[in-house]
Amino acid sequence: MKISFLLHNAYGIGGTIATTFNLAQALAERHEVEIVSVLRHRERTNFTLGPAVTLRPLVDLRQDKEHALHQRPARVFPRAEYRYRQYSELTDRRIRECLAAIDADVVIGTRPGLNVHLALQAPRHVARVGQEHLTLDNHSPRLRGALRRAYRRLDVLTTVTEADAGAYRRKMRLPGVRVQALPNSVPDPALPAADGNAKVVVAAGRLVPVKRYDLLIEAFALVAAERPDWQLRIYGKGEEHDRLRGLVADLGLCNNVFLMGAAAPMEAEWVKGSIGVAASNFEPFGMTIVEAMRCGLPVVSTDCPHGPGEIIADGVDGRLVPVGDRDALGAALLDLVRDDERRRRSGRAALENARRFAPGPVVEQAEHLLNEAVSARRAGRRVATGRARVHHTLVSQGFAARDAAITSAGTVRRTLRGGGGE
């Protein structure tokens, strides 16, 4: 089977890129696999990609940034999609030409806007698999409307959590489309697991407001007050860096909290710690949680939608605390800091329980879905069979009507603010 992934920018840094590389390399052990990167802005990728996977860009911004078509807005890529301003008539054309000539058995889109291209433009013989790496509820009503119209042409739609798969089934009427959860995978660690002895708590991710590193630093102040020999190391870069550095100074934590910058891969840094931590308000999956657990770290996380609660077994391999609760987060960290045996026992449980996110089990699920999609497409039938329940149909119609009403009201407000026309 030949498999193509359609990716926004393989040369950047982010969870979608990492998990796409992981899955592509695992599938390449038994299949012919390529990654088509819509954009390219540098010579080399940040993440390592093995020679078994072919990588080809469509628009190289080092040469194409000033291309006349790249100055015109995209027509296919949805305007309501987060990355819309990075797309153009040039990306529209290159994606269309790529899909028209593609010889893959199945193409996998990796974000909503690319899933729309795939649904609308893939040749009839190609199986179409869309991936959701965020969540349905994270999208605006306007984008959800665009997805409802396009996604009906997909064969399979995967989400990273069961909760989000359920949301798609309830709120989006996609007859004939198989909607199924497929978690992200993390490669088997190459280094020995953490032993739980280091007095280090580790966090990693983009330094952006939703990750709530400010809350984490404030919570760690409670730890440092009781156990000043412990450290918090935060890996990542982003817009919050300077504000967080100021907060560390204001709280007198310069000897306890360190902004370490970006590190890729993170495995060598996880194993230097004893506890992982995540304080997000929102986490579609929680890739860093799985990475930490696969390195033998119990993880303390906010129980935010949707991922952490499906990854962490509270009290067994980590702790789940309410979103935004600084004191609860600090107390959960202290529970593991104070109790050496509990920390080591939880770390061993994390190592064992996270095996379900190893490439083997995830790739097995992915292969099954891809084979079903290819077989159904060749047979001229849909992957999902059977009639939708009346209740779910009515519920999805209700959500569609509500999204349409919200979108319409927003259009009216923008028109009024703009002067109402002529």
Side-chain angles (χ1 to χ4, degrees), residues 2-3 91 104 112 181 198 206 228 239 254 282-283 323 325 329 358 376:
K2 181 169 182 181
I3 304 163
T91 58
R206 292 176 300 124
E239 63 193 68
C254 293
F282 168 76
E283 199 67 71
V323 174
D325 192 330
L329 184 61

Side-chain angles (χ1 to χ4, degrees), residues 5-11 16-18 20-21 35-39 55 87 108-111 114 133:
F5 288 85
L6 187 58
L7 188 62
H8 168 65
N9 188 342
Y11 299 83
T16 299
I17 302 168
T20 298
F21 277 32
I35 294 175
V36 177
S37 179
V38 176
L39 300 177
L55 174 63
Y87 285 74
I108 303 171
T110 56
R111 65 175 306 113
L114 298 180
H133 287 280

Side-chain angles (χ1 to χ4, degrees), residues 14-15 20 44 57 61 75 137 144 154 159 176 193 228 258 278 290 295 342 346-348 362 380 394:
T20 298
R44 298 183 183 278
L61 296 174
R75 296 174 180 268
D137 291 342
R144 289 196 293 263
L154 295 175
T159 63
F258 301 92
V290 177
C295 290
R342 181 180 183 182
S346 296
R348 291 191 295 269
V362 174
L394 292 174

